[in-house]
Amino acid sequence: MIRFLSPWWLLTLLPVVLTAAAYVLRQFRRRQYAMRFTNVDLLRTLAPRGLGWRRHVSALAFLLSLLGLGLAMARPSVDQKEPLERATVILAIDVSLSMEADDVQPTRIEAAQEAARAFVKELPPSYNLGLVSFAKSANVLVSPTKDRNAVIAGIDGLSLAEATATGEAVFTSLDAIKSVPSDGASGAPPARIVLLSDGYRTSGRSIEDAEGAASQANVPVSTIAFGTDNGVVDIRGALQKVPVDRVSLQQLADKTKGHFYEAASVSELKKVYEDMGSSIGHRVESREVTQWYAGAALLFGLCAAALSLLWTSRLP
């Protein structure tokens, strides 16, 4: 989409439009004057053959040249999606015992691992990607890196443990983001946390505290509620229901300006990750293209001059 950084300069197009109107009016009056001379055959004998339609070509090129110059004065620009080289994504995966439930085939954790590997492949290679696992506590398995093999190896090596520390997962992810080198840039890197969980927080700092920390750091947390309400898991010989805590996960996403998703199957989870991978880590920048319009104006001006010299031996 074309935008103009100095739109007031578009007023310079008014004289161009008036010049074009004056040219058309003059041509119309010239035709009326010619028709007053009724002896057309004699006129053809006395007057040499004119340029015909060709006399309008150089005039049109000249007007287009003026038009291009007027538009260039308004500093046209286009919006472009620019990748953020320091963009960092932290993938935080719940490894509580409830992830062993088989309401998502083959199990929640195996389905999550498969979809996470697909997500890793979706992210552009220029993004930093880190991996955090959380159960009773949260741990950085892979610090933010561009080495995708290291992240996939970390995903493959996930192991389950008791409890669910959702808030700790956010705090640990924020600490991992701080470890990204500045590479000469100022400020924290643009970052996002993608958190997948299937249950209620049972350990660590509260989700509300995590919301405040993420908001203060300007890091959106996108959450995925994974599993169904019918999931059960065998813990020490007793079957326990493990429903999904959608309310807390949606609140975490909303408070931090992230996105909330639900996924009850590996195919849905893959789709969520693919959508995230195509949108994370870009910013829209306005790129000025004044030189395009100035170049077009120069080209049309040269065409007008060349055609006028060719057909009339004078400049327009």
Side-chain angles (χ1 to χ4, degrees):
M1 180 180 177
I2 301 293
R3 295 189 300 111
F4 295 95
L5 301 180
S6 302
W8 284 106
W9 281 102
L10 290 175
L11 292 174
T12 58
L13 298 181
L14 289 177
V16 179
V17 174
L18 293 175
T19 302
Y23 178 81
V24 172
L25 181 62
R26 181 169 178 79
Q27 298 305 310
F28 180 75
R29 288 185 175 178
R30 180 178 180 181
R31 179 177 298 179
Q32 284 185 325
Y33 178 78
M35 290 303 296
R36 292 175 185 173
F37 197 95
T38 56
N39 194 339
V40 178
D41 291 334
L42 179 59
L43 179 62
R44 288 174 179 170
T45 302
L46 296 175
R49 185 178 179 181
L51 294 174
W53 61 269
R54 290 180 298 173
R55 71 174 180 271
H56 303 301
V57 175
S58 60
L60 177 61
F62 179 69
L63 289 172
L64 289 174
S65 176
L66 295 179
L67 177 65
L69 288 174
L71 292 173
M73 293 287 288
R75 298 175 61 201
S77 66
V78 293
D79 290 337
Q80 286 190 330
K81 227 178 184 182
E82 297 288 345
L84 298 169
E85 295 302 323
R86 295 177 66 226
T88 300
V89 180
I90 301 297
L91 187 57
I93 300 180
D94 185 350
V95 292
S96 59
L97 293 179
S98 59
M99 290 291 284
E100 202 170 17
D102 61 1
D103 55 334
V104 178
Q105 296 297 320
T107 63
R108 290 180 180 180
I109 186 60
E110 290 179 79
Q113 287 172 309
E114 181 182 345
R117 285 188 286 266
F119 174 68
V120 171
K121 295 176 182 178
E122 280 296 315
L123 283 180
S126 61
Y127 298 173
N128 295 305
L129 178 61
L131 178 65
V132 168
S133 68
F134 63 99
K136 188 174 183 179
S137 60
N139 300 288
V140 178
L141 300 183
V142 182
S143 296
T145 177
K146 292 181 172 63
D147 183 356
R148 298 298 187 256
N149 292 329
V151 178
I152 290 177
I155 293 171
D156 292 340
L158 292 175
S159 58
L160 303 183
E162 292 184 351
T164 305
T166 310
E168 293 298 331
V170 175
F171 280 105
T172 301
S173 298
L174 292 173
D175 289 339
I177 292 168
K178 293 176 184 177
S179 70
V180 176
S182 63
D183 293 332
S186 60
R192 179 177 296 183
I193 298 170
V194 180
L195 185 145
L196 181 148
S197 182
D198 72 336
Y200 291 79
R201 182 191 71 84
T202 60
S203 179
R205 283 171 282 186
S206 69
I207 293 179
E208 289 74 18
D209 288 343
E211 292 168 1
S215 298
Q216 186 175 4
N218 195 28
V219 176
V221 181
S222 290
T223 59
I224 306 171
F226 184 51
T228 70
D229 291 331
N230 301 319
V232 293
V233 64
D234 186 342
I235 299 179
R236 298 187 184 92
L239 290 179
Q240 294 188 16
K241 289 185 177 181
V242 283
V244 180
D245 184 9
R246 296 180 180 84
V247 176
S248 295
L249 292 174
Q250 182 165 15
Q251 179 179 313
L252 175 58
D254 291 343
K255 294 290 186 180
T256 60
K257 299 181 181 179
H259 298 283
F260 170 72
Y261 302 91
E262 289 188 69
S265 68
V266 65
S267 60
E268 291 176 357
L269 188 56
K270 277 187 176 180
K271 183 63 170 61
V272 169
Y273 277 147
E274 287 170 2
D275 289 344
M276 286 183 172
S278 63
S279 63
I280 293 173
H282 285 90
R283 66 173 168 228
V284 176
E285 288 193 339
S286 183
R287 179 187 174 191
E288 193 169 340
V289 291
T290 301
Q291 67 276 14
W292 295 359
Y293 287 79
L298 177 62
L299 179 61
F300 282 122
L302 291 174
C303 288
L307 294 176
S308 184
L309 286 172
L310 177 65
W311 292 332
T312 67
S313 298
R314 64 176 181 268
L315 290 172

